[in-house]
Amino acid sequence: MKKLRNQLLLCILAAFLTINLTSAVDFLFNGFDSSDVSLYGNATIESRMLTLTKDSGFAIGRALYPSRIPTKQPNSSLILPFSTSFIFAMAPYEGRLPGHGLVFLFAPREGIQGTNSAQHLGLLNFTNNGNSSNHVFGVEFDCFRNQEFNDINDNHVGIDVNSLISVSSYEAGYWPDDHRKKEDGSPDENSFKSLLLNNGRTYQVWIDYADSVVNVTMAPVGMKRPNQPLLSFS
């Protein structure tokens, strides 16, 4: 059997951030070069593919958009709406423990200072996890169940605000557009389609924020975006 590399492969196809009704930060990457993103830690770009970690243990890789993106209007506390979509694959090396996962994030500063690997996903560390001063937002794709973070299982998606204890999480997967519903209108769990995050398959993710609501949706690449978000949090 062909060995799979212990890498987290993240390829952003499209990302869009609305600043206001008349202007926007708008960028589209179909593959990468060194001028597209700022790389930190073990992150590399080879053959226009962004790779976050390699087969070394306890590795952290981060790729950030090189320019600061406004998240608020001047003199306002309201968070601006945004939409993003990207494609990723996580491929574990045969015979080794896989990486813990990856995070799409908004962070107030460059670099990877103040972060740890493993269960901290390169997002936070032992001492700053949960601090309101972090000013960090993330959507995690987590392949380990860590009891200290109240993880629901070892294959989940979570919304993180200043902490790795997610404010909302659900098993990785999607709701088919023809999924059954219960009498109260909520989705029937038997209709849910699970997706294994770290099996080397390629998935597309959509993350949207508007009117104080975050929606996260995912599906196998090539599939139409499901109408029902995987996560919806306000």
Side-chain angles (χ1 to χ4, degrees):
M1 180 182 294
K2 183 179 179 181
K3 290 186 176 181
L4 297 175
R5 294 170 296 172
N6 180 25
Q7 296 183 332
L8 303 184
L9 306 179
L10 171 60
C11 179
I12 299 176
L13 288 187
F16 178 77
L17 177 66
T18 301
I19 300 305
N20 55 43
L21 294 177
T22 59
S23 65
V25 174
D26 188 3
F27 48 88
L28 172 66
F29 298 128
N30 188 9
F32 294 87
D33 60 44
S34 58
S35 64
D36 293 330
V37 290
S38 298
L39 303 179
Y40 304 94
N42 295 100
T44 59
I45 294 175
E46 298 178 8
S47 301
R48 297 187 58 78
M49 178 70 73
L50 171 60
T51 303
L52 294 181
T53 61
K54 295 193 174 182
D55 60 359
S56 57
F58 300 100
I60 298 175
R62 179 177 284 190
L64 297 177
Y65 189 66
S67 301
R68 183 176 292 272
I69 299 174
T71 57
K72 296 179 181 179
Q73 293 278 19
N75 303 316
S76 174
S77 61
L78 296 178
I79 305 298
L80 294 167
F82 73 87
S83 295
T84 186
S85 181
F86 58 89
I87 286 173
F88 77 90
M90 284 190 265
Y93 192 88
E94 184 180 1
R96 297 189 187 182
L97 287 174
H100 280 248
L102 62 87
V103 182
F104 168 85
L105 64 88
F106 278 89
R109 61 187 63 87
E110 300 174 344
I112 55 175
Q113 294 79 13
T115 69
N116 281 344
S117 60
Q119 70 266 33
H120 290 90
L121 298 174
L123 181 65
L124 297 167
N125 64 29
F126 292 97
T127 58
N128 63 16
N129 184 57
N131 292 348
S132 60
S133 59
N134 290 328
H135 302 296
V136 169
F137 167 83
V139 176
E140 65 174 51
F141 301 84
D142 195 342
C143 305
F144 274 71
R145 184 177 188 179
N146 297 106
Q147 293 184 350
E148 67 265 42
F149 301 139
N150 299 329
D151 286 347
I152 57 172
N153 62 20
D154 59 358
N155 186 66
H156 63 272
V157 181
I159 297 172
D160 299 340
V161 180
N162 296 322
S163 173
L164 284 158
I165 299 177
S166 300
V167 296
S168 180
S169 61
Y170 206 87
E171 179 181 359
Y174 65 96
W175 298 99
D177 288 346
D178 60 353
H179 68 267
R180 297 186 299 273
K181 293 186 177 181
K182 300 178 182 178
E183 292 182 359
D184 62 2
S186 62
D188 184 342
E189 288 81 0
N190 293 323
S191 299
F192 185 73
K193 302 296 183 183
S194 299
L195 298 174
L196 185 62
L197 290 172
N198 64 350
N199 62 359
R201 292 188 63 187
T202 309
Y203 301 119
Q204 185 163 4
V205 176
W206 298 264
I207 303 171
D208 305 283
Y209 175 80
D211 300 323
S212 300
V213 178
V214 179
N215 289 316
V216 180
T217 310
M218 69 178 299
V221 164
M223 178 178 165
K224 174 179 172 289
R225 176 177 179 169
N227 292 324
Q228 174 79 30
L230 175 66
L231 293 173
S232 187
F233 177 78
S234 59

